[in-house]
Amino acid sequence: MATEQELFASVDALLAEEPQLPPPAERARLREAAGVTQARLAQALQSTTQTVKNWENGRTEPKPPRLEAYQRLLDGWAAKYPAHDAPVAAPALAPAPQPEVPETFSRTAAPEPENAEPVEAPAAPAAPERPAARRPAATSRRPAAKKAPKPAPLDPRFPHGPLAVLDGDGSAYGVDGIVLDCPATTVVELVEWTLRESGLGAPKLHRHGKDSDPLIVLTAAAAAKLGLPERLEDRRGLRLAEDHPVVKQIAKAKWQLTQRGFGPWPRIYRKAQGSQRQCVQLAILPWGALDSRSWPGVSEMEPADIARVLGIYAQRVITPRGGTAVCGLELMTALRPPTRPVRDEGTGNWIPGHNPGSLGTEPMDPAPPEGQPEHPAIFHSGWKGGFLHEEAYTWVRSTDLLTDEECMLPYAVGLDLNTAFLAAAARLTVGLSEPVHFVNPPFNPKIPGSWLVDLSGIELDPRLPSPFTPTGERPTGPAWYQTHTVAYAQELGYNVAPLEAYLRKETGAYLDPWHDRLKTAYVDTLADLGVTKDLSDAEFLAAMERHKDIDPALTAVLAAIKGTVKGGIGKLFENPQGKNYKDGEPWPAMMRPTWRPDIRAAVISKARVNMHRKLMNMAKMTGLYPLAVLSDCVVYPSPGASPLDFLPYAASGKPQPGGFRLGPTPGLAKLEGVQEMAWAVDLMEKGFNPARHIKGGDAVLDEGE
């Protein structure tokens, strides 16, 4: 081993000064600021590149004599390249554990990502001078609400946060109340200002992912100043015509638009230079970029308030890249990037390789029963074997099965499960590889896939919906079911004998990071609105009654998080659109690796089974049966106007496990609405679903939140 003096001499060749050991993220920042690669530093310290990587990501710490030499070097760099309140980087997301592969296959499950590291990026060029951020001066505008979650530390590369809302006077409102001066008068100037001077952007959510592109939201005044029309004439395609002056301007300046064109969420880019992305995302408010259902009231807010809403969402979920459904899908990919750097054994270079546990970079044809008749692979194969139909409940109990005692109860009370699809995504094993066909396979509940099985012989209480169909009606013969549905039949004590199956050998909990991030976002936002986990059930109901009146901005964030969950799952099985579509032709959505109807079916199947299990347990514990179910909402007859009047509690006052429980976390329940029992029975007799209207005002439930 080299002596301390020899190491000092080697380090002095780079820089001669003495330091304190800074945090891991600061070590990497200093090295990159000096333009030194990890390999060059490892050579100077007579160590290995991997060891330097470990020092910079916090896995290990240097030991003497290298510790003193490393300290000496970092101190010198710190004097040359002082930090400006640079935060410690957040630790990388840990990969979700892979489940064991059951006996049906001899192959093992997809391995977890190894600690492969990316190719050394060239030293970043000196950053251009940023425009100074200012606080908004006193104006006649209504200021943003004061209450806000504590902002996350900003990445030093993006000192002004992930996004800004541009108004017509050139003020760009960012997170935490900052305001930037934007001199741009054209879209091209805006893009170049954003990339070169704004200091906007957000760091990647996974170490193998990509940084989020900066987002500029345009108010109506800003859009008009940049030469954009007040509304889009193309109401079907929702994009500017190719001969519009702004589109021509972009092309003339050698910028490009994605295939979506220049619509409400245009993305403008040039080919990346090395590891430096050149892309800006715009959101145009007068064109409906923030729809009122996912972002209630946001479009009408002042720019500073809009920036606050979107900034909180970006901090807790992802920088918006489109509607909440698009964000839900993009979040999956951001947390499970399709590629990672792998070493080419032939050349020794780092190249992009498949990231185990992800969906990869290529689209995958569904198994015949998992797609739809118009899918090219199914349409041209002549498949006539039926299709998987795993959907959420839409069920109403027959009024013939209502008892006099039930009809005499005064109230119908609706319970809604918090983000039921999100709860179902937790620890959900899904298939990652191509489907494989089997004939008469033994059923294995650990293998994700589709099974052709006859469940029509299973007889359950008619006062409950069947767990095997979305309508709640008893199956009439063999049909295709997702693994969770068949496993539930087995759980109920029935023998299942599949006739066929399409199963996947490689499996993994692909949605785990997505679930964890969205669950935290949902729970934290509810807590900011006064709905916390430590409340009693009575306190919880009271807090939910008033939570929407506390802060409109946070209420909008909560709605957007719900829309992200629902829309993200829905996007996994996006159908062809447009009146000119012909069966058998490919459509854009199916060309994505994230077009995975089997994963959507797995989530919905598990959510429906979870609902039925609670319904069964409620009947056993209380003798109560539901009047109707719609997705994640169930309506019960009740002696009182509160869930507390019929939910099961132990003698100690604690909720009984297995049934519906009140609380703010995904999978627990909240009050959806209360009506008179006569009202519910009248709707049932007319063929309507009380769960759809239990809120009152003829409101329709936001199914599948």
Side-chain angles (χ1 to χ4, degrees):
M1 178 180 289
T3 65
E4 182 176 307
Q5 289 73 22
E6 290 172 335
L7 289 168
F8 279 1
S10 180
V11 164
D12 286 343
L14 295 174
L15 185 68
E17 298 207 354
E18 176 123 30
Q20 293 289 329
L21 200 62
E26 178 67 1
R27 303 168 199 173
R29 186 194 72 80
L30 290 170
R31 176 184 55 73
E32 292 170 355
V36 176
T37 66
Q38 291 175 327
R40 175 70 183 91
L41 176 57
Q43 181 183 14
L45 293 176
Q46 298 185 23
S47 185
T48 66
T49 303
Q50 184 61 52
T51 298
V52 173
K53 295 177 193 294
N54 291 342
W55 294 346
E56 291 187 357
N57 60 32
R59 288 197 187 98
T60 61
E61 293 293 325
K63 294 181 174 57
R66 290 185 175 84
L67 172 61
E68 292 78 11
Y70 193 36
Q71 285 179 333
R72 184 182 181 91
L73 176 62
L74 292 175
D75 196 11
W77 280 342
K80 280 191 172 184
Y81 315 105
H84 300 286
D85 300 323
V88 180
L93 290 171
Q98 297 285 338
E100 297 180 3
V101 168
E103 297 175 358
T104 301
F105 298 111
S106 58
R107 287 178 60 182
T108 58
E112 277 303 302
E114 300 173 4
N115 292 328
E117 297 292 336
V119 187
E120 286 290 339
E129 186 176 348
R130 306 287 189 197
R134 57 182 170 84
R135 299 289 171 178
T139 68
S140 60
R141 298 173 185 262
R142 179 177 55 82
K146 294 181 179 180
K147 178 177 171 44
K150 185 178 179 181
L154 294 178
D155 188 297
R157 297 171 301 157
F158 312 117
H160 298 143
L163 56 88
V165 180
L166 182 64
D167 208 355
D169 61 0
S171 296
Y173 295 81
V175 299
D176 199 25
I178 67 170
V179 184
L180 305 173
D181 291 317
C182 175
T185 58
T186 67
V187 169
V188 169
E189 289 176 358
L190 175 62
V191 169
E192 293 175 349
W193 173 83
T194 302
L195 292 174
R196 295 175 184 174
E197 301 179 46
S198 71
L200 297 173
K204 57 193 176 185
L205 297 180
H206 186 281
R207 63 193 181 112
H208 297 321
K210 299 175 182 177
D211 293 334
S212 287
D213 300 319
L215 168 65
I216 302 292
V217 181
L218 303 182
T219 64
K225 179 181 177 181
L226 297 174
L228 298 173
E230 185 177 347
R231 66 188 299 273
L232 283 173
E233 295 300 328
D234 180 4
R235 303 309 300 167
R236 181 176 294 275
L238 289 179
R239 62 179 65 190
L240 284 181
E242 293 185 5
D243 60 354
H244 190 278
V246 169
V247 177
K248 287 183 174 180
Q249 218 177 67
I250 292 169
K252 184 177 180 180
K254 307 299 183 185
W255 291 95
Q256 299 180 59
L257 292 165
T258 61
Q259 290 184 349
R260 288 189 297 177
F262 203 107
W265 287 91
R267 192 174 296 183
I268 304 171
Y269 71 98
R270 279 179 183 157
K271 188 176 180 181
Q273 294 181 346
S275 62
Q276 192 74 26
R277 286 174 61 81
Q278 297 188 91
C279 185
V280 174
Q281 178 76 65
L282 303 183
I284 304 172
L285 295 181
W287 295 359
L290 300 178
D291 69 277
S292 59
R293 185 164 180 175
S294 297
W295 301 94
V298 177
S299 292
E300 290 74 40
M301 292 180 179
E302 296 294 339
D305 294 309
I306 297 172
R308 177 171 173 253
V309 171
L310 298 181
I312 296 171
Y313 180 86
Q315 171 196 333
R316 295 183 174 179
V317 182
I318 192 172
T319 303
R321 304 179 187 184
T324 51
V326 171
C327 292
L329 206 61
E330 292 276 359
L331 182 63
M332 294 179 196
T333 304
L335 295 172
R336 290 278 200 195
T339 62
R340 63 167 182 165
V342 296
R343 189 180 294 279
D344 186 324
E345 297 299 330
T347 64
N349 295 329
W350 290 96
I351 60 173
H354 175 63
N355 185 22
S358 77
L359 298 183
T361 59
E362 297 298 323
M364 185 182 298
D365 283 343
E370 292 172 349
Q372 64 244 70
E374 57 266 38
H375 189 284
I378 299 170
F379 180 82
H380 296 296
S381 72
W383 171 260
K384 302 295 182 184
F387 293 93
L388 197 67
H389 189 53
E390 296 285 10
E391 299 293 341
Y393 270 132
T394 304
W395 172 83
V396 180
R397 197 199 324 172
S398 170
T399 53
D400 294 340
L401 298 176
L402 293 176
T403 64
D404 293 339
E405 291 78 9
E406 287 176 318
C407 292
M408 292 300 293
L409 291 173
Y411 295 104
V413 177
L415 293 176
D416 181 61
L417 297 183
N418 301 320
T419 56
F421 288 172
L422 185 61
R427 316 300 172 248
L428 176 68
T429 301
V430 300
L432 301 176
S433 57
E434 298 277 354
V436 180
H437 184 232
F438 293 86
V439 177
N440 296 322
F443 177 68
N444 191 323
K446 294 183 179 179
I447 303 179
S450 299
W451 309 78
L452 180 63
V453 60
D454 189 351
L455 302 179
S456 61
I458 299 178
E459 187 170 353
L460 300 173
D461 194 313
R463 292 172 291 178
L464 293 175
S466 166
F468 310 127
T469 65
T471 62
E473 297 177 358
R474 184 172 171 174
T476 58
W480 290 96
Y481 300 97
Q482 201 275 335
T483 297
H484 283 88
T485 304
V486 184
Y488 188 56
Q490 196 175 64
E491 178 185 321
L492 293 174
Y494 296 90
N495 180 45
V496 293
L499 305 173
E500 294 182 61
Y502 284 90
L503 310 176
R504 288 170 165 82
K505 296 181 179 181
E506 294 180 6
T507 64
Y510 172 72
L511 292 174
D512 264 11
W514 186 83
H515 162 271
D516 294 347
R517 186 168 177 84
L518 285 170
K519 176 184 177 181
T520 300
Y522 180 80
V523 171
D524 287 353
T525 305
L526 264 182
D528 290 333
L529 290 167
V531 187
T532 56
K533 297 179 183 179
D534 58 348
L535 299 176
S536 68
D537 283 0
E539 292 169 336
F540 167 74
L541 291 172
M544 287 299 295
E545 184 72 23
R546 61 177 180 269
H547 81 284
K548 290 186 178 181
D549 301 325
I550 291 177
D551 187 337
L554 288 171
T555 301
V557 173
L558 188 67
I561 293 169
K562 294 178 184 179
T564 304
V565 173
K566 175 190 173 186
I569 297 301
K571 279 277 186 181
L572 292 170
F573 193 16
E574 192 174 358
N575 293 317
Q577 299 175 8
K579 64 179 182 179
N580 296 323
Y581 175 76
K582 295 180 180 179
D583 289 354
E585 293 180 349
W587 63 93
M590 60 161 281
M591 305 306 292
R592 299 189 311 247
T594 48
W595 190 84
R596 289 295 301 271
D598 57 300
I599 296 180
R600 176 183 178 272
V603 172
I604 295 177
S605 168
K606 184 178 175 184
R608 198 180 66 243
V609 164
N610 287 347
M611 172 65 82
H612 192 273
R613 190 181 289 112
K614 287 181 170 63
L615 297 175
M616 288 266 290
N617 290 335
M618 281 288 291
K620 293 175 183 176
M621 290 186 286
T622 68
L624 289 176
Y625 291 85
L627 302 175
V629 184
L630 181 65
S631 189
D632 45 18
C633 178
V634 55
V635 177
Y636 273 101
S638 172
S642 168
L644 302 177
D645 294 316
F646 67 90
L647 288 178
Y649 290 87
S652 63
K654 292 185 177 181
Q656 291 279 25
F660 294 100
R661 296 177 56 188
L662 299 175
T665 56
L668 297 186
K670 59 181 179 291
L671 177 64
E672 180 70 9
V674 182
Q675 300 289 341
E676 292 182 356
M677 182 65 179
W679 168 91
V681 174
D682 182 56
L683 281 183
M684 295 166 69
E685 289 176 339
K686 294 176 180 177
F688 297 115
N689 191 323
R692 187 178 295 275
H693 308 281
I694 192 71
K695 282 185 178 181
D698 208 31
V700 177
L701 179 72
D702 183 13
E703 297 178 31
E705 72 171 39

